[in-house]
């Protein structure tokens, strides 16, 4: 008798039937949508795990016959976790699967560490088309390859229709810290330069555009991507990196406010130097949003020693961040983030206080 | 001006008002329920994180000002992840918080590793009473202390009313493997003894009893608890441990089927030796359920060398597992799990094929 995985691997066409086929060793193949039994711990769940997760995410570390993975480590290890609840599940430039890999991999990179492993836990809503789940898991596999990580263990739960929203994915990322690398707000010094790796607000506006049915001449596309390669390029080049932060929920403004508060230093930002794509700026104006508060998922802010600002920008340009630029510097006193406007005025940049864009990640 | 955390720490009574108090530096204190802004990345989310998570889960490793934690490791590290969607959130003997800690800590222990760190990601439904969330997080803190682990990093997302179900929690656990410990189905040998650490089915029946409004003379109480201490006691005593598995979803039957398949060996189980509490057996009979398929959350199955069976049971008795006992052995051929019934018959134990009890973990 062929093993479950052999059948699923060899069969591109799926057997879909309302009549349970009792001789069929692959209960997964009987369904085209998620059912409660897919989370029940029995044969149907094992068939889903073999047929979707194990097959698509296959790698030597992933052993779905056990509830965990054993990995070899030495030294300092960074660990981060993030739940992803983006709505809709698919948006221009990505989907919840790509987001769940990149978001967590990027958080590991923000610790100054090289991402190596991911875990993934799925909360599926009864009725989710299995074709959507497969598409999402394929997207995770692609993003994981791009980011140089492997998914080593996972979990699947199913909730009744109306108790979830398609799929929520929680990923946890683990990475090796380089021996001598230390980063964090306490290392920020007056005079340091503040560099952003690319235009801000793309992700939030891309998600919002599908959700609100907005149409633009130039389509809005999410920037969701792994940034660890660009971060490692900075370390490889010997740039004096003080601190890293990815401007996700709350956008660049919130990231800068958090860093300034944690570093107990005022930041001075030149608004005209903050890169924003024309189509993002237009859409923001239409909706009364400030792009400084709109989430990115493939950008990061890096604070570097003043003398290394130009080199940092050059290294980023060479590492795929063509629009990276310096946007300001760290002042020599405590205080808030001050933005110098193109017209000569200045304003205090505050942290987002309510909810601007729910469920963009 | 007092810091957010000072106010929250000192104030037992919460300021709850419909009028936003604009001079109040604690936006968290304005709400008695979860609102979308609690997941927005701005001030309101930071207030929730400071006011609930950072305060209740406080430990030296937890730095909520960054999106990750950096830990020191050497050698082999076990990592596991689990999403928890139990319904209802509170049940006799525990709640989703205790479950989310114990479930993952136990999976780490099942890898033969000593649990050290946890991450926790929350998907909150708009409208969840903050008092429920606090109770759950307190329960996590208590369970973490009991299990000897600390929560090192986390994440919070909020979904609209009707798109979730109160709270889902995904925890990831990390633990140190002892230098010489190797466990897993490939190490199982013919003649090995199969030991269970206590009565089975308590957790599933406790959750079901609240959900279905069942009343029993003796109340059904979940067994949810960390088992790592008992597992480590086996290693400390030098017991020849071959393999460990916790019988959660799908119960003891599914755990035995998985191990037997992975080990490519038939198991022989003495049904009359499998411990089941009288009240659990009664409730199962009433509902037409087989306790062998009902989930535990504080028990484990351990396969040990034949010569070590008695010692394993003695060590478990001394480590808080008063009802641990040997229930069978590994046969010297391939095949399924065979159960010898008290009346002299035998039957093949099969993996759960549908969904018996949805959302018990």
């Amino acid at each position: 008798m062929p093993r479950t995985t052999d059948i699923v691997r060899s069969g591109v066409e799926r057997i879909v039937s309302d009549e349970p086929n009792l001789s069929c060793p692959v209960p997964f193949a009987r369904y085209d949508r998620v059912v409660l039994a897919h989370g029940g711990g029995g044969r149907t769940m094992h068939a889903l795990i073999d047929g979707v997760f194990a097959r698509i995410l296959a790698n030597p570390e992933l052993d779905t016959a056990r509830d965990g993975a054993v990995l070899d480590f030495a030294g300092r290890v960074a660990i981060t976790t993030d739940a992803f609840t983006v709505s809709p599940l698919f948006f221009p430039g990505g989907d919840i699967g790509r987001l769940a890999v990149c978001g967590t991999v990027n958080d590991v990179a923000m610790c100054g560490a090289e991402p190596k492993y991911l875990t993934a836990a799925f909360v599926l809503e009864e009725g989710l088309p299995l074709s959507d789940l497969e598409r999402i898991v394929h997207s995770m596999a692609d993003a994981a390859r791009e980011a140089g990580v492997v998914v080593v263990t996972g979990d699947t739960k199913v909730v009744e229709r109306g108790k979830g929203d398609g799929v929520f994915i929680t990923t946890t990322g683990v990475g090796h810290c380089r021996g001598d690398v230390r980063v964090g707000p306490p290392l920020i010094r007056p005079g340091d330069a503040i560099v952003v790796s690319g235009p801000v607000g793309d992700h939030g506006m891309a998600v919002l555009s599908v959700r609100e049915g907005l149409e633009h001449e130039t389509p809005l596309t999410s920037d969701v991507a792994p940034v660890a390669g660009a971060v490692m390029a900075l370390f490889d080049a010997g740039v004096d990196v003080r601190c890293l932060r990815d401007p996700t929920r709350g956008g660049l403004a919130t990231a800068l406010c958090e860093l300034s508060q944690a570093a107990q230093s005022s930041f001075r930002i030149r608004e005209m130097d903050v890169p924003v794509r024309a189509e993002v700026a237009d859409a923001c104006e239409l909706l009364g949003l400030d792009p400084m508060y709109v989430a990115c998922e493939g950008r990061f802010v890096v604070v570097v020693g003043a003398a290394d600002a130009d080199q940092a920008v050059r290294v980023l340009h060479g590492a795929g961040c063509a629009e990276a630029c310096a946007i300001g510097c760290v002042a020599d006193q405590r205080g808030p983030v001050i933005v110098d406007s193109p017209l000569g005025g200045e304003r205090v940049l505050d942290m987002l206080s309510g909810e601007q864009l729910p469920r963009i990640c």
Side-chain angles (χ1 to χ4, degrees), chain A residues 233-234 236-240 304 306-317:
Chain A
L234 290 171
D236 288 342
V239 171
D240 184 10
V304 300
D308 285 10
D310 291 345
Q311 192 203 357
V313 171
R314 266 199 314 275
V315 170
L316 289 175
H317 287 175

Side-chain angles (χ1 to χ4, degrees), chain A residues 72-132:
Chain A
D72 272 304
F73 275 108
R76 288 182 312 134
V77 169
I79 184 165
T80 78
T81 196
D82 254 340
F84 295 87
T85 62
V86 67
S87 171
L89 297 175
F90 302 94
F91 49 81
D95 58 36
I96 192 171
R98 180 170 175 81
L99 190 59
V101 170
C102 297
T104 292
V105 156
N106 291 351
D107 280 345
V108 172
M110 294 305 102
C111 295
E114 189 163 8
K116 300 291 281 182
Y117 306 109
L118 277 186
T119 70
F122 296 80
V123 176
L124 308 177
E125 185 191 10
E126 185 188 14
L128 175 75
L130 282 175
S131 55
D132 282 1

Side-chain angles (χ1 to χ4, degrees), chain A residues 75-350:
Chain A
R76 288 182 312 134
V77 169
I79 184 165
T80 78
T81 196
D82 254 340
F84 295 87
T85 62
V86 67
S87 171
L89 297 175
F90 302 94
F91 49 81
D95 58 36
I96 192 171
R98 180 170 175 81
L99 190 59
V101 170
C102 297
T104 292
V105 156
N106 291 351
D107 280 345
V108 172
M110 294 305 102
C111 295
E114 189 163 8
K116 300 291 281 182
Y117 306 109
L118 277 186
T119 70
F122 296 80
V123 176
L124 308 177
E125 185 191 10
E126 185 188 14
L128 175 75
L130 282 175
S131 55
D132 282 1
L133 182 62
E134 287 198 49
R135 191 173 151 200
I136 288 164
V137 179
H138 271 297
S139 176
M140 292 182 78
D142 292 344
R145 256 188 304 276
E146 193 178 331
V149 297
V150 287
V151 177
V152 292
T153 188
D155 184 47
T156 312
K157 294 285 154 61
V158 179
V159 296
E160 306 90 332
R161 211 179 284 263
K163 300 293 184 187
D165 196 16
V167 52
F168 301 143
I169 306 175
T170 298
T171 47
T172 299
V174 178
H176 281 296
C177 296
R178 299 201 173 187
D180 50 345
V181 167
R182 293 284 186 288
V183 294
L187 302 180
I188 292 175
R189 294 283 168 270
D192 283 356
I194 300 163
V195 171
V196 65
S197 71
V200 300
D202 296 17
H203 174 73
M205 294 317 291
V207 172
L208 199 65
S209 72
V210 245
R211 207 148 69 192
E212 305 295 326
L214 301 182
E215 300 217 349
H216 296 272
E217 286 174 31
T218 314
L220 296 163
T221 305
S222 169
D223 57 307
V224 57
V227 301
V231 171
M232 296 307 134
L234 290 171
F235 292 128
D236 288 342
V239 171
D240 184 10
V241 174
R242 302 287 166 82
C243 188
L244 296 153
R245 186 65 57 111
D246 53 342
T248 55
R249 278 182 291 182
L252 178 64
T254 301
L256 293 172
C257 289
E258 287 174 357
L259 290 184
S260 152
Q261 276 178 19
Q264 304 190 329
S265 299
S266 176
F267 286 4
R268 196 106 207 174
I269 304 296
R270 299 177 301 273
E271 188 163 22
M272 64 182 301
D273 289 343
V274 174
V276 181
R277 292 195 197 288
E279 58 270 29
V280 170
D282 289 352
C284 281
E285 202 173 325
L286 195 72
L287 296 168
L289 297 171
D290 181 343
M292 296 276 276
Y293 288 90
V294 181
C296 314
E297 288 290 347
R299 310 288 181 227
F300 62 99
V301 175
V302 54
V303 182
V304 300
D308 285 10
D310 291 345
Q311 192 203 357
V313 171
R314 266 199 314 275
V315 170
L316 289 175
H317 287 175
C321 304
E323 291 157 279
C325 59
I327 59 168
C329 61
V330 178
D332 60 1
Q333 79 255 347
R334 287 180 170 227
V337 179
I338 307 286
V339 175
D340 293 312
S341 86
L343 301 173
E346 63 173 48
R347 61 185 167 104
V348 170
L349 195 68
D350 208 354

Side-chain angles (χ1 to χ4, degrees), chain A residues 13-58:
Chain A
E13 289 178 294
R14 188 95 41 72
I15 315 148
V16 177
S17 159
D18 288 325
E19 293 287 298
N21 173 358
L22 294 179
S23 68
C24 169
V26 195
F28 163 66
R30 290 189 215 150
Y31 301 102
D32 66 347
R33 290 181 179 268
V34 168
V35 296
L36 285 176
H38 280 130
R43 274 176 192 283
T44 318
M45 188 180 88
H46 283 84
L48 177 73
I49 291 171
D50 288 345
V52 177
F53 300 113
R55 177 174 61 95
I56 300 175
L57 297 172

